[in-house]
Amino acid sequence: MKQASEESLDVMGEKLPLVLDLDGTFLRTDLLVEGIVNAFFRRPLSLFAAMPLALVSRARFKQRIAAITQLDIDSLLVNEQVLDFAETERNAGREIHLFTAAPQSVADKVAARFGIFSSVVGSTPTLNLKSYRKRDALVERFPDGYIYAGDARADLPVWQAAAAAVLVDVPASVAQAVRADDTRVFATFSTPTNHLRSWRKALRLHQWVKNLLVFVPLLLSHEYLNPPVVLSYLTVFLILSVSASGTYILNDLADLSDDRRHRTKRNRPFAAGKLNPLMGLFVSIVVILGGLIASGFVSTGFFIALFAYLALTLSYSFGLKRIPVLDVVILATLFTLRLVMGTEAADAGYSEWLLTFSMFFFLSLSLAKRFVEVSAKAARPMEIISGRGYRGGDHAFISALGVSSGVASILILVLFLREDAFKVDIYQIEAFLWGIPIFMTLFLGRIWLLASRGELNEDPVAFAVKDKVSYLLGIGLVFCMLEAVLIPG
């Protein structure tokens, strides 16, 4: 949102140059932060080797980060308000310049993308062009005055020497300091941001519904009326959910460039520039390590299962998701590990039937998710899907494998009922159990039908949580289970 100008941008009838800062002003992100996060996922050893430079020379550290990363310049978020403002002023005859603390090489690439700057000046290995150093460079370059657009407290010395100021998403205290120095403020740009809402979205609290799988062993063991056992399961659910939220953040950070090019994922908090990626990296590491430590107090088995889950998730985020077929097998394994953690919550016995069914069932759902992504590129069969190892022409293969995996899961469920469930004395009327594979078949069939029609636009599990028909099928399944147990024979 742009506030009305307090004065005309013409100072004494002259068109003074408009100088833009880059990080947080022209762009909705910080290139150093982007570089650190990019290096963390792509070249972690090089990043750790470069860290000591941050204590010696910030300028050299920036140059090193720029050298070990390859940022996707075309996907970087530009502040559209500032861009429109700069283009309007340029068309009116004003020169637009870019002065930034980012390395010169990176600044040149960003400037080349837009082509509106008369000159571009960035940091060198010996000079970090920030605060007083930027002010001195600007005063020397523009002795007749300049108009400066910035976003941070570090820009106060630059504004003090400027003929006029343009404030971009500055904190209230900074705006007050600028006005207290009698610096003329010609325009203010602000972008309303609800950080609490953004963090809730980044943590993907709605995905916690997937972790309800830990309660399945509790239902099968019929210990749901035992308070200590239920408390143990609730503890496992909470630890797993918080830890998983940390991995979701890491996954978003690893996919920043790809998400920014995606029609829906570009609205995720980090991709949209609503949250600082470096803060996200810190939060994710803290909650993941915290979850591991907490799991050790529950049981050794749960700790091992959670460690395996997190290790597999991080391996997926760091690159395994780009390997076709292996990526969906990993997703199915992660769902199955939730059942393992639920089993470890009360030291219950493992069900080979349940684990095998889970692998094939969730493999089918994972393939449905991939099918939606790949089929969108079906018109270009040789084009590789960004961030994945699939091509646009792979949709038929994915569909065949996904449907067959779903059928296999139903077959395993039927065999379980026939060879195991009907031979125990828990169920009063076993006939109701046949409703379970029927409702599961209806659910899987609906998922794949919608996917093939192009009407499934998200993760099938997330879709099911909001889908009324899926709720009805779930109610029918639970009804069959309860009726089999509760109705007296």
Side-chain angles (χ1 to χ4, degrees):
M1 178 176 64
K2 177 185 175 182
Q3 294 182 1
S5 300
E6 296 181 7
E7 300 182 37
S8 169
L9 275 176
D10 290 331
V11 179
M12 295 185 297
E14 299 179 359
K15 288 287 187 181
L16 294 180
L18 173 61
V19 181
L20 303 182
D21 182 30
L22 184 59
D23 298 328
T25 301
F26 188 67
L27 296 180
R28 290 194 180 279
T29 188
D30 185 301
L31 291 176
L32 179 60
V33 169
E34 293 268 341
I36 291 174
V37 172
N38 181 278
F40 179 82
F41 289 99
R42 304 292 185 264
R43 301 183 64 181
L45 294 181
S46 297
L47 173 63
F48 295 141
M51 293 306 292
L53 282 176
L55 303 176
V56 178
S57 169
R58 190 172 181 85
R60 289 174 58 194
F61 177 65
K62 289 181 177 181
Q63 298 292 329
R64 182 56 184 161
I65 293 299
I68 65 177
T69 58
Q70 292 184 341
L71 293 179
D72 185 358
I73 300 298
D74 290 338
S75 72
L76 292 175
L77 288 171
V78 65
N79 190 321
E80 295 292 345
Q81 297 180 82
V82 176
L83 176 60
D84 292 343
F85 172 72
E87 289 179 334
T88 299
E89 291 303 313
R90 181 171 179 267
N91 293 334
R94 192 182 302 279
E95 287 188 353
I96 312 298
H97 301 266
L98 183 65
F99 269 62
T100 173
Q104 183 72 51
S105 59
V106 179
D108 287 338
K109 293 178 182 177
V110 174
R113 172 184 167 187
F114 297 96
I116 64 171
F117 299 104
S118 299
S119 69
V120 181
V121 180
S123 292
T124 68
T126 57
L127 175 66
N128 183 28
L129 197 66
K130 188 174 183 178
S131 193
Y132 293 98
R133 290 178 288 275
K134 181 183 288 188
R135 178 201 63 189
D136 294 342
L138 284 171
V139 170
E140 181 179 356
R141 176 70 178 275
F142 306 110
D144 294 331
Y146 59 88
I147 301 162
Y148 180 73
D151 69 295
R153 182 169 294 276
D155 293 317
L156 285 176
V158 187
W159 279 315
Q160 289 171 354
V166 176
L167 308 182
V168 182
D169 291 326
V170 298
S173 60
V174 174
Q176 184 178 359
V178 171
R179 291 183 170 88
D181 288 330
D182 293 327
T183 301
R184 285 178 287 189
V185 178
F186 293 111
T188 300
F189 298 92
S190 62
T191 306
T193 301
N194 187 328
H195 286 94
L196 181 59
R197 181 179 179 183
S198 295
W199 275 111
R200 286 202 306 266
K201 190 173 180 180
L203 292 169
R204 298 193 205 177
L205 300 185
H206 63 282
Q207 296 280 18
W208 286 22
V209 68
K210 296 179 180 179
N211 301 324
L212 292 175
L213 282 172
V214 301
F215 293 102
V216 172
L218 172 65
L219 297 177
L220 296 179
S221 67
H222 302 283
E223 291 287 337
Y224 33 78
L225 297 180
N226 188 334
V229 174
V230 173
L231 180 61
S232 178
Y233 273 91
L234 288 173
T235 302
V236 165
F237 171 79
L238 182 61
I239 293 174
L240 170 60
S241 297
V242 172
S243 301
S245 287
T247 66
Y248 294 144
I249 293 176
L250 281 182
N251 187 64
D252 285 351
L253 296 177
D255 285 347
L256 273 180
S257 296
D258 294 327
D259 285 354
R260 286 169 179 164
R261 295 177 179 276
H262 194 274
R263 60 188 178 87
T264 57
K265 294 180 181 179
R266 63 186 178 187
N267 296 319
R268 289 177 175 177
F270 293 106
K274 296 178 181 178
L275 296 176
N276 187 308
L278 198 58
M279 177 59 70
L281 187 61
F282 173 77
V283 169
S284 64
I285 292 175
V286 168
V287 298
I288 288 173
L289 291 179
L292 278 174
I293 294 172
S295 68
F297 291 96
V298 177
S299 72
T300 302
F302 176 49
F303 171 83
I304 294 174
L306 181 61
F307 181 85
Y309 174 89
L310 295 174
L312 196 57
T313 301
L314 295 180
S315 298
Y316 176 85
S317 296
F318 273 75
L320 294 184
K321 62 184 175 184
R322 293 176 173 83
I323 303 178
V325 181
L326 177 61
D327 64 328
V328 288
V329 171
I330 289 176
L331 292 177
T333 303
L334 293 175
F335 278 106
T336 304
L337 279 172
R338 290 174 168 93
L339 297 174
V340 172
M341 284 183 266
T343 302
E344 291 293 341
D347 195 23
Y350 283 94
S351 169
E352 292 83 359
W353 290 107
L354 176 62
L355 298 180
T356 306
F357 163 78
S358 173
M359 279 298 300
F360 282 94
F361 179 76
F362 289 109
L363 177 60
S364 181
L365 293 185
S366 301
L367 284 163
K369 180 180 180 180
R370 286 292 175 269
F371 176 81
V372 171
E373 297 174 353
V374 174
S375 59
K377 302 289 185 180
R380 297 186 288 274
M382 298 307 294
E383 180 179 337
I384 295 179
I385 310 301
S386 179
R388 307 293 177 190
Y390 298 96
R391 296 179 178 178
D394 292 335
H395 63 285
F397 162 77
I398 295 174
S399 175
L401 183 59
V403 172
S404 60
S405 298
V407 172
S409 70
I410 301 301
L411 177 59
I412 292 168
L413 182 57
V414 170
L415 291 174
F416 162 69
L417 295 177
R418 182 67 181 84
E419 301 296 329
D420 193 307
F422 290 164
K423 295 181 179 180
V424 297
D425 297 328
I426 297 176
Y427 304 102
Q428 299 296 324
I429 299 184
E430 299 171 346
F432 277 104
L433 294 178
W434 287 116
I436 298 176
I438 293 175
F439 284 112
M440 296 297 285
T441 300
L442 291 173
F443 172 73
L444 281 177
R446 174 174 166 76
I447 289 294
W448 277 102
L449 180 62
L450 294 177
S452 64
R453 290 177 174 177
E455 298 176 8
L456 184 68
N457 298 318
E458 55 187 324
D459 183 314
V461 177
F463 167 79
V465 172
K466 298 179 288 186
D467 180 50
K468 294 180 180 179
V469 176
S470 297
Y471 270 109
L472 291 175
L473 294 175
I475 291 172
L477 187 149
V478 172
F479 173 80
C480 290
M481 293 181 64
L482 293 177
E483 290 295 284
V485 174
L486 299 179
I487 291 184

